[in-house]
Amino acid sequence: MRMRPAAARDLQTAGASALRFGLALNLVVIGRLKFEDYEVENIRPLITSSPPFSRLADMLGEQRLARLIGVSEIAIGSLIAAKSFAPRASALGSLAAAGMFTSTLSFLITTPEAWQERRGEPKLSLAGQFLLKDLVLLGASLFTAAESLRAASRP
């Protein structure tokens, strides 16, 4: 398939904008859910199986920890969305998101409910499938970080 260079650039720009908007919106919406009791229940197996998060839950309580995670997600998503007027802050938000998604991917290792072990070789459960999407979000975070850093370095 042949495409004019200008059309390819336009497609890349549209894709980058959709990626940034989708990443920021996901973080803000999912962060907001951390203030709901049912979401505290949903993340309980992930938190209690993770050594660092289980210690934080013991110190803060599950509801406070969920709210702290929610505030962090909302702040990170807002920073990512701020690229047009604060590219350095947006890069910081994207790098923070990359760190966050790296930590949530660790739940694939620490959460027994992430795997269906009674089916021969281990296969991802619904919880594992949910966590696996964070690999794509990690890639989006790294992409938006690079894009923001390039924008910040322009005169």
Side-chain angles (χ1 to χ4, degrees):
M1 171 189 233
R2 297 188 83 114
M3 183 179 278
R4 294 185 343 259
R9 273 191 308 277
D10 291 346
L11 186 59
Q12 183 176 7
T13 299
S17 296
L19 195 63
R20 178 175 298 281
F21 176 74
L23 178 61
L25 184 62
N26 265 276
L27 286 164
V28 170
V29 169
I30 291 170
R32 167 59 189 91
L33 291 178
K34 298 298 188 290
F35 291 84
E36 301 291 336
D37 290 338
Y38 79 92
E39 183 64 7
V40 175
E41 293 293 321
N42 287 342
I43 66 172
R44 178 174 286 131
L46 305 172
I47 299 299
T48 58
S49 299
S50 168
F53 282 97
S54 66
R55 280 187 227 116
L56 282 171
D58 289 343
M59 288 175 18
L60 301 173
E62 291 177 355
Q63 189 174 49
R64 276 196 189 123
L65 178 57
R67 288 180 177 170
L68 177 62
I69 293 168
V71 167
S72 299
E73 289 173 332
I74 292 167
I76 290 168
S78 298
L79 286 171
I80 291 168
K83 178 190 166 238
S84 61
F85 58 89
R88 283 189 175 92
S90 184
L92 179 65
S94 292
L95 292 171
M100 183 185 68
F101 292 124
T102 300
S103 72
T104 59
L105 283 167
S106 75
F107 295 157
L108 283 168
I109 298 166
T110 61
T111 307
E113 293 88 353
W115 299 93
Q116 295 182 8
E117 296 175 6
R118 291 179 276 168
R119 298 192 176 238
E121 84 264 7
K123 292 184 175 82
L124 288 173
S125 67
L126 286 176
Q129 293 171 40
F130 168 77
L131 290 168
L132 193 60
K133 61 114 176 69
D134 285 1
L135 185 57
V136 175
L137 295 171
L138 172 60
S141 299
L142 295 172
F143 179 88
T144 58
E147 186 187 47
S148 294
L149 288 169
R150 275 194 305 274
S153 67
R154 290 186 198 124

